[in-house]
Amino acid sequence: MHVLGIESSCDETAVAIISEAEGLLVNKLYSQIELHSPYGGVVPELASRDHIRKLGPLLQETLQEANLKLDKDIDAIAYTSGPGLMGALMVGAGFARSLAWSINKPAIAIHHMEAHLLAPLIESISPEFPYVALLVSGGHTLLVKIDAIGRYRILGESIDDAVGEAFDKTAQMLGLPYPGGPQIQQLAMQGNAKRFNFPRPMTDRPGLDFSFSGLKTHVLNTLKDLSENSLTKLDQQTRADVACAFEDAVVDTLRIKSLRALEQSNANTLVVAGGVGANKKLRQQLKEKLAKRGMQVFYPAAEFCTDNAAMVAQLGLLRLQDSSCCEEQNALQINVRPRWSLEAI
Ligand code: KG4
Ligand code: ZN
């Protein structure tokens, strides 16, 4: 049995094929980073148009590499139905459902965040239930308790900016290109961690929600004070010190809340997913601090941590095995859900 997965919720166009017997066969991705880079963030209309351009060629490459035929070998088509950008989702959903209709096979609507939560399964790793997932990307900051597949409880989320967005906006203030996370990480390595001490938002009160917009404003005010209102005058060392203070504040905040979530959930495994999960300081701190408490942290491989179609195909396969979950294959209506809570699955 083979499931084709299609992901187009934001700025990555991705297609993958997973086999029930052999696991992941092909995982293709085309990133739109260069397209959006001049704007400092994702431009939704440009994203939709680029998905239209890339989905067809990526599908052909994927089938060729897997040495499979769409009409003979593919048993279902799984696609991201939400949450995400409306136009981008519509392109992927329209493409996926039309393909499925043309080969008379089921189309399976996938929740993007659920696919992230279950990404460890792609590598045949099944963390023991219950576990906690920290989803940290450009669009999301979530702590979720996973009691079983399909049983998710949101423990905490950002009440304003997503953490990746805070990285990107802080990078922009420091004159760094998009996406800002890797740039801040690089610059922070030269920084003096003792020079500034930025707030760790909402860690001094109970609860598991996050807020990053105040921290962002704190960075802006610090930069303004330092440069007497002209950010261009800042020397390289000062910029590095600010990047370092910002990164430390974010990493501490994520670590404190993740530990709190594990303790409250009686869980001892944390799964980290999303682009910010690539941050080296975050990885090292979580590993060290959790190990001290007899807990463990699991990071899916980088290619499965950020947006990808393997996780969509993987979840599609699970749904197909539990055949009650497929959509009516002949339905012609294309529905996407730009806003879709995990708890509503
Ligand atoms: O999951 P992802 O690739 O895409 C979505 O947002 O869906 O996450 C991208 C985010 C961007 O905000 C980027 O700046 C951030 O992840 N990021 C990082 C690092 N690498 C990527 N943030 C901090 N440190 C990194 N090393
Ligand atoms: Zn994502």
Side-chain angles (χ1 to χ4, degrees):
M1 190 146 66
H2 295 110
V3 176
L4 179 83
I6 291 175
E7 158 63 34
S8 72
S9 63
C10 190
D11 60 342
E12 257 102 27
T13 320
V15 181
I17 297 177
I18 205 153
S19 139
E20 189 177 31
E22 296 164 67
L24 183 64
L25 299 183
V26 183
N27 188 29
K28 290 265 169 206
L29 181 128
Y30 173 80
S31 168
Q32 302 178 354
I33 280 181
E34 274 180 35
L35 179 72
H36 301 291
S37 180
Y39 306 95
V42 178
V43 183
E45 183 58 24
L46 293 182
S48 312
R49 288 170 191 225
D50 216 47
H51 287 310
I52 293 174
R53 266 193 292 271
K54 289 295 181 317
L55 271 172
L58 266 184
L59 171 69
Q60 280 188 334
E61 282 174 36
T62 307
L63 287 166
Q64 252 165 27
E65 216 168 285
N67 204 14
L68 296 175
K69 293 261 179 286
L70 180 68
D71 52 346
K72 293 202 179 76
D73 303 314
I74 300 298
D75 299 283
I77 298 180
Y79 66 96
T80 302
S81 161
L85 300 171
M86 170 70 118
L89 290 168
M90 282 301 289
V91 174
F95 186 76
R97 293 195 62 84
S98 311
L99 279 180
W101 187 81
S102 74
I103 59 172
N104 204 22
K105 292 284 162 56
I108 307 171
I110 298 294
H111 189 294
H112 180 83
M113 306 313 285
E114 184 182 22
H116 270 306
L117 294 181
L118 302 177
L121 299 177
I122 306 169
E123 296 169 272
S124 307
I125 294 162
S126 318
E128 208 176 297
F129 296 119
Y131 66 90
V132 171
L134 173 70
L135 291 180
V136 275
S137 72
H140 300 275
T141 310
L142 278 179
L143 274 165
V144 185
K145 183 180 178 201
I146 293 112
D147 286 310
I149 291 175
R151 281 178 52 208
Y152 313 113
R153 195 151 65 80
I154 296 176
L155 304 171
E157 59 194 319
S158 178
I159 57 169
D160 42 54
D161 292 355
V163 62
E165 200 181 344
F167 266 100
D168 296 337
K169 288 182 178 164
T170 300
Q172 210 172 12
M173 290 184 233
L174 290 167
L176 298 167
Y178 172 84
Q183 301 281 338
I184 295 230
Q185 173 175 291
Q186 188 69 26
L187 184 60
M189 282 174 191
Q190 303 146 30
N192 171 4
K194 300 213 171 88
R195 181 160 168 204
F196 301 107
N197 187 17
F198 288 178
R200 276 64 176 149
M202 295 177 76
T203 52
D204 55 353
R205 60 182 104 156
L208 294 166
D209 283 338
F210 301 91
S211 164
F212 292 103
S213 89
L215 178 60
K216 200 180 60 190
T217 310
H218 189 90
V219 175
L220 183 65
N221 290 337
T222 305
L223 291 172
K224 278 187 177 161
D225 289 348
L226 286 165
S227 63
E228 292 161 351
N229 289 329
S230 167
L231 302 188
T232 48
K233 279 192 210 152
L234 289 176
D235 63 274
Q236 178 70 2
Q237 188 57 50
T238 300
R239 291 167 67 248
D241 296 344
V242 169
C244 185
F246 169 79
E247 188 181 45
D248 282 352
V250 171
V251 168
D252 276 359
T253 304
L254 295 176
R255 170 183 49 79
I256 291 166
K257 298 269 168 155
S258 299
L259 269 166
R260 210 180 272 174
L262 285 161
E263 276 160 5
Q264 285 183 12
S265 310
N266 286 325
N268 64 12
T269 302
L270 180 73
V271 170
V272 183
V276 181
N279 185 273
K280 287 187 187 153
K281 229 181 242 177
L282 178 67
R283 287 181 168 234
Q284 195 190 336
Q285 277 222 16
L286 283 175
K287 201 171 162 198
E288 270 174 32
K289 303 281 173 175
L290 265 65
K292 276 192 191 149
R293 291 168 196 236
M295 295 168 173
Q296 54 180 349
V297 55
F298 179 77
Y299 299 98
E303 63 188 306
F304 307 132
C305 212
T306 53
D307 287 352
N308 66 87
M311 65 182 190
V312 176
Q314 162 69 48
L315 186 48
L317 181 61
L318 282 178
R319 292 273 186 278
L320 197 62
Q321 288 162 338
D322 168 17
S323 56
S324 58
C325 307
C326 294
E327 285 183 25
E328 257 184 71
Q329 60 201 67
N330 289 326
L332 291 176
Q333 205 173 346
I334 295 164
N335 293 319
V336 294
R337 283 159 269 200
R339 289 175 188 275
W340 186 8
S341 168
L342 257 175
E343 289 172 332
I345 294 176

